[in-house]
Amino acid sequence: MKAIQLKEYGGPEVLHLIEMKKPIPNGHEVLIEIKAIGVNYADTARREGQYVVPTPLPFIPGAEIAGVVVEVGDQVTNVRRGMRVVTLIESGGYSEFAVADERSLIPIPESLDFQHAAALPLQGLSAYHILKTMGHLEHGDSVLVHAAAGGVGTIAVQLAKLFGAGKVIATASSAGKLEMAREMGADVLVNYTEPNWDQQVLEATGGRGVNIALEMAGGEIFHKTLKCLATFGRLVIYGVASGEQARFYPSTLMGRNQSVIGFFLPQIMRKPELLQPSLVDLLTYLEAGKLKLTIGGVFPLKDAANVHTLMQSRKTQGKLILEP
């Protein structure tokens, strides 16, 4: 089979198309013929050696796959050949075939194509659990979503409204991206390239601040976001896109009973009781038309390096998909 592999950390040029043997499913594993692969910033962090956990070399990136089950292990009981499934795996998704545990698979509804199914799990589950599991969103809460035209952002805006948020404030870097956030349901639009964007957020909440903030940039964005947090507010960190770690004094949280919470999706993936029901919920929302996904482009697997370059240019909108 063909796969994209890196043998050293670095820029997109370290991604190479290789030929290798197909994996063999054992025990509760199944072999999936991959039809669509979601591309994520976690993949670029893996490539650069900057991921939250160490990335062993050589490495095949890719955590988000949709495809067809073609072989099953000797202990598989609930999955059959020919099933259309979507799942998250730790690695190995940038390839024509991959193995996954049968207990992590979710059937794809017949009305959904592979591209949209693959576009959902990582960013959809992230948005879902950032808001619900970590952010403890309550009816009427105000929510600040940074990078609201991005993969997690577009879904987070929609889910916040579905979960009962009173006001969703979306930030982005351009008028076009802010318009996309408005189409997703955002109530207030703020351009975070403007120096006083944090004051605009506070004004939108009558000076009270937001109940929940989603933060993935780090550096100055983190500090300004913290200033936008209400009493009893929760700031959930799920990335450091700027590469700049934010430093602050934890005792500053005490005066207003605020929380800064870390989120790492693989910890959710290790808990089937959290993972599976939430992915079923997301697929149900998608099938019912309550959740919209924007596909920003579909590319052949061999163009993975170019796709990484395109994504890191921050000029794309929506989800980028690879196809073997």
Side-chain angles (χ1 to χ4, degrees):
M1 71 174 190
K2 292 181 173 62
I4 296 290
Q5 184 187 72
L6 59 122
K7 293 184 178 180
E8 59 180 325
Y9 305 127
E13 70 279 357
V14 303
L15 297 175
H16 298 287
L17 185 68
I18 65 165
E19 289 277 354
M20 61 181 296
K21 291 182 179 179
K22 281 194 299 187
I24 299 172
N26 295 305
H28 287 282
E29 293 177 334
V30 304
L31 181 67
I32 299 170
E33 182 179 359
I34 298 173
K35 301 296 185 179
I37 306 150
V39 181
N40 298 284
Y41 277 106
D43 302 339
T44 66
R46 286 284 202 184
R47 191 199 72 227
E48 294 169 350
Q50 300 295 323
Y51 194 54
V52 179
V53 296
T55 298
L57 297 176
F59 186 78
I60 298 173
E64 199 173 33
I65 60 173
V68 178
V69 175
V70 291
E71 292 181 30
V72 299
D74 56 8
Q75 296 179 39
V76 170
T77 57
N78 295 316
V79 177
R80 66 182 187 280
R81 293 178 179 85
M83 284 184 64
R84 302 167 74 246
V85 296
V86 60
T87 190
L88 287 173
I89 54 180
E90 291 282 352
S91 63
Y94 283 21
S95 57
E96 294 180 313
F97 296 87
V99 292
D101 191 295
E102 66 165 325
R103 292 161 290 194
S104 72
L105 305 179
I106 300 295
I108 300 173
E110 286 301 320
S111 61
L112 292 184
D113 58 47
F114 289 113
Q115 294 176 3
H116 282 80
L120 183 64
L122 196 148
Q123 291 163 336
L125 287 168
S126 293
Y128 185 106
H129 289 285
I130 288 168
L131 291 167
K132 266 199 170 182
T133 307
M134 312 307 299
H136 300 288
L137 190 152
E138 298 178 356
H139 187 81
D141 277 349
S142 55
V143 180
L144 173 61
V145 180
H146 285 308
V152 173
T154 53
I155 297 175
V157 168
Q158 296 175 78
L159 289 181
K161 300 299 284 189
L162 284 171
F163 294 161
K167 181 177 287 186
V168 176
I169 303 170
T171 78
S173 60
S174 70
K177 290 183 176 182
L178 287 171
E179 176 59 23
M180 176 181 284
R182 187 193 65 77
E183 292 172 359
M184 295 298 110
D187 302 296
V188 179
L189 308 177
V190 176
N191 189 321
Y192 68 77
T193 65
E194 297 176 1
N196 70 333
W197 68 260
D198 52 330
Q199 291 303 314
Q200 295 178 48
V201 172
L202 287 171
E203 288 170 9
T205 59
R208 293 182 298 275
V210 295
N211 302 113
I212 302 171
L214 283 64
E215 207 290 289
M216 42 65 73
E220 183 185 7
I221 297 289
F222 167 84
H223 288 290
K224 284 195 170 186
T225 303
L226 197 55
K227 292 178 182 178
C228 296
L229 209 58
T231 301
F232 290 100
R234 289 86 69 195
L235 191 161
V236 184
I237 298 172
Y238 67 100
V240 191
S242 69
E244 183 182 351
Q245 291 287 349
R247 298 179 180 179
F248 77 109
Y249 295 99
S251 59
T252 60
L253 303 173
M254 295 169 58
R256 300 178 66 192
N257 286 21
Q258 296 168 326
S259 304
V260 173
I261 305 160
F263 173 81
F264 186 45
L265 183 60
Q267 296 295 353
I268 300 292
M269 291 165 59
R270 296 181 185 115
K271 290 183 173 290
E273 69 276 13
L274 286 176
L275 177 69
Q276 290 186 314
S278 54
L279 188 49
V280 170
D281 281 352
L282 288 167
L283 286 168
T284 300
Y285 290 143
L286 188 60
E287 187 179 22
K290 295 180 179 180
L291 184 64
K292 298 177 183 178
L293 295 180
T294 302
I295 304 297
V298 180
F299 306 85
L301 180 63
K302 64 181 178 63
D303 289 345
N306 292 334
V307 173
H308 275 215
T309 299
L310 184 64
M311 185 168 69
Q312 289 187 290
S313 72
R314 300 194 179 280
K315 295 179 181 178
T316 62
Q317 294 184 9
K319 185 76 172 186
L320 303 183
I321 299 291
L322 293 172
E323 287 185 339

